Amino acid sequence: MRVEIWSDIACPWCYVGKARFEKALAAFPHRDGVEVVHRSFELDPNRAKGDIQPVLTMLTKKYGMSQAQAQAGEHNLREQAAAEGLAYRAEGRDHGSTFDMHRLIHFAKEQGRQSELLQAFYRANFAEERSVYADADDYLVELAVEAGLDEEAARKVLADPDAYADAVRADEREAAALGANGVPFFVLDRKYGVSGAQPSEVFEKALAQAWGERPAPLAVVAADGAEACGPDGCAVPQ
């Protein structure tokens, strides 16, 4: 069974939702039969690289809230994150373009290190003092190496603005086609969608339901010894 998760590194609920889903998956009896694929979704796709501002400033402008309301929301998110064992800086964070991070996540998928890199980006963005936006390429490469990727290869991806750009955009178009207008958005076997950072219990029920409705595995009867054609050719009667 495949679970696809659309998310953005700038999304605090994606950070929390990933932890809640992974808690549910760890308790799922058939977890070894579940493939998890992370897909791209930019909350601010038109933001230029280098256009960086404090998170509180972004929140007040985008949602029309006061500084006090924005700060209270950040403190609430810190509590939500702490409940999942996650560190969260409620003050002093900044906000910028996540496009290059998404490109690196697609590269990491090819190397089998997608979840590790995504988690490194989340931790850096939400828990560390150093900015993933201001320090840009150097910091992203450091995090890529920490996640098990080759340093030179990661630098080459960042140096080429077209590398994996189509993959990011394709994910975003697919999210729109599926009706996802926010993240995190979880799709289970292309049959069920779960929107938002739901409690782990909701993910547990969704996993069980999707797994229970999977087709039964094909039962092969009397296959041994029968003539057939395959990649190496056909059995020739003697």
Side-chain angles (χ1 to χ4, degrees):
M1 182 170 75
R2 171 178 284 192
V3 177
E4 297 162 280
I5 307 173
W6 273 264
S7 60
D8 190 14
I9 299 92
C11 165
W13 290 116
C14 296
Y15 179 46
V16 173
K18 182 175 185 288
R20 291 176 177 173
F21 172 77
E22 289 176 348
K23 179 181 177 181
L25 183 61
F28 187 53
H30 307 289
R31 58 185 174 275
D32 291 340
V34 178
E35 176 192 13
V36 178
V37 178
H38 295 280
R39 299 205 179 277
S40 299
F41 189 109
E42 294 172 276
L43 291 171
D44 203 351
N46 297 317
R47 184 175 289 270
K49 183 176 180 178
D51 182 4
I52 304 164
Q53 63 183 159
V55 164
L56 293 186
T57 301
M58 180 274 292
L59 292 173
T60 56
K61 289 183 177 180
K62 188 171 185 176
Y63 300 107
M65 59 178 65
S66 68
Q67 283 272 336
Q69 289 173 321
Q71 189 64 77
E74 285 293 285
H75 287 161
N76 175 61
L77 277 161
R78 181 172 60 189
E79 293 176 5
Q80 298 280 346
E84 305 303 329
L86 302 172
Y88 190 97
R89 290 180 63 219
E91 299 172 355
R93 291 195 303 107
D94 57 8
H95 176 77
S97 171
T98 59
F99 185 60
D100 281 350
M101 285 181 270
H102 282 293
R103 294 196 300 115
L104 276 173
I105 288 168
H106 276 278
F107 166 64
K109 179 185 175 184
E110 293 182 347
Q111 310 302 313
R113 309 299 294 175
Q114 189 183 41
S115 181
E116 290 83 356
L117 182 59
L118 180 59
Q119 191 61 33
F121 285 161
Y122 278 145
R123 190 203 69 243
N125 186 46
F126 293 109
E128 303 293 336
E129 292 189 10
R130 187 176 175 185
S131 170
V132 293
Y133 308 107
D135 289 340
D137 292 5
D138 286 342
Y139 194 17
L140 298 187
V141 169
E142 287 181 29
L143 294 168
V145 172
E146 177 187 313
L149 298 171
D150 179 75
E151 178 179 352
E152 183 178 354
R155 287 194 183 279
K156 285 182 178 179
V157 171
L158 290 174
D160 179 2
D162 293 327
Y164 301 96
D166 289 344
V168 175
R169 299 306 184 209
D171 276 358
E172 293 173 339
R173 288 193 299 271
E174 194 164 12
L178 290 170
N181 53 17
V183 285
F185 186 65
F186 302 77
V187 176
L188 288 74
D189 248 9
R190 289 298 171 113
K191 294 180 65 176
Y192 295 101
V194 178
S195 181
Q198 300 286 346
S200 294
E201 294 78 13
V202 173
F203 290 122
E204 289 175 10
K205 291 178 181 178
L207 286 167
Q209 184 170 352
W211 185 272
E213 295 184 11
R214 286 171 53 79
L218 180 69
V220 180
V221 180
D224 293 343
E227 290 80 5
C229 294
D232 296 326
C234 297
V236 180
Q238 299 297 320

